[in-house]
Amino acid sequence: MSDLIEIRWHGRGGQGSKTASILLGKVAAKTGKNIQAFPEYGPERMGAPVLAYNRISDKEITVHCQVTEPDIVSVLDPTLLDVVDVTEGVPDNGVIIVNTEISASKLRDKIGFNGELYTVDAYGISTEEIGAPFPNTPMLGALIKATDLLDFEGFLSEMKNEFEKKFAHKPEVIEGNINSMKRAYQEVKS
């Protein structure tokens, strides 16, 4: 891992971009990393485009602004590809992960990105595993697979601990989210 990894999450209000960035930050912090996890708010309404960010480092993080040159981009809603330039600021050796049924090779032409491009059907996975189209947890699994940012088994264990705090009386929600991350980890394609 380089000194500082910066991640930008693209989603729509209600899809869990902010939650995904916070969960990733919490888990990374438990492994001893220094982290930042924060959203950027615009018009705060359901369905509006939203951004969230992470910074993860072995060293102290001294920068406190939005992420403009992300190493990794996670796109939770494929309709944003027609509205937002998700490649903006991403270096040639960057990584973009998109929730879509379209193959990475077809998507590459659409967005004009030559770096590492991954796709996963996070809507389909979450609908089957959680019972609703919440792409954030599958996208976390896909991100870990695409980047090797954290050890996956350790990541899953910590995520389960986080879900148990929030959904203690809903074991089916915990199991659905864990299964959705496992499937996305296995099903993400480049």
Side-chain angles (χ1 to χ4, degrees):
M1 183 160 91
S2 70
D3 286 347
L4 179 65
I5 299 294
E6 294 184 306
I7 303 168
R8 184 174 66 214
W9 298 84
H10 289 271
R12 291 190 180 275
Q15 291 182 320
S17 300
K18 174 184 168 186
T19 300
S21 73
I22 290 170
L23 286 170
L24 178 61
K26 284 182 176 183
V27 172
K30 289 181 180 179
T31 69
K33 306 286 184 201
N34 292 294
I35 67 102
Q36 290 179 352
F38 56 99
E40 177 182 310
Y41 291 111
E44 298 177 43
R45 65 183 192 278
M46 212 51 140
V50 297
L51 294 171
Y53 306 99
N54 286 102
R55 287 193 177 95
I56 301 173
S57 179
D58 290 325
K59 299 179 180 178
E60 180 182 4
I61 300 172
T62 57
V63 62
H64 301 282
C65 60
Q66 71 180 169
V67 172
T68 57
E69 296 180 355
D71 303 287
I72 303 163
V73 171
S74 181
V75 182
L76 276 66
D77 189 313
T79 66
L80 290 170
L81 299 174
D82 298 323
V83 179
V84 178
D85 180 5
V86 300
T87 67
E88 183 179 0
V90 182
D92 290 339
N93 64 346
V95 175
I96 297 178
I97 307 127
V98 181
N99 166 24
T100 184
E101 294 177 0
I102 299 171
S103 70
S105 60
K106 288 182 182 175
L107 189 59
R108 182 174 306 285
D109 293 335
K110 179 176 180 164
I111 66 172
F113 182 67
N114 293 320
E116 292 182 53
L117 182 62
Y118 296 86
T119 62
V120 66
D121 181 11
Y123 282 147
I125 292 169
S126 63
T127 299
E128 290 174 20
E129 298 296 338
I130 303 169
F134 295 123
N136 60 342
T137 52
M139 291 300 287
L140 282 165
L143 185 144
I144 298 301
K145 176 68 174 207
T147 64
D148 287 325
L149 191 60
L150 300 168
D151 168 72
F152 187 63
E153 292 305 318
F155 172 78
L156 274 182
S157 177
E158 290 299 334
M159 287 297 293
K160 185 174 182 183
N161 291 338
E162 289 298 320
F163 288 131
E164 286 173 344
K165 291 176 192 173
K166 186 172 182 175
F167 302 111
H169 301 294
K170 295 182 179 181
E172 69 281 359
V173 173
I174 298 166
E175 182 180 350
N177 277 286
I178 296 299
N179 288 342
S180 73
M181 286 184 283
K182 286 179 182 178
R183 277 195 52 197
Y185 183 87
Q186 295 166 350
E187 296 176 23
V188 67
K189 293 180 175 73
S190 60

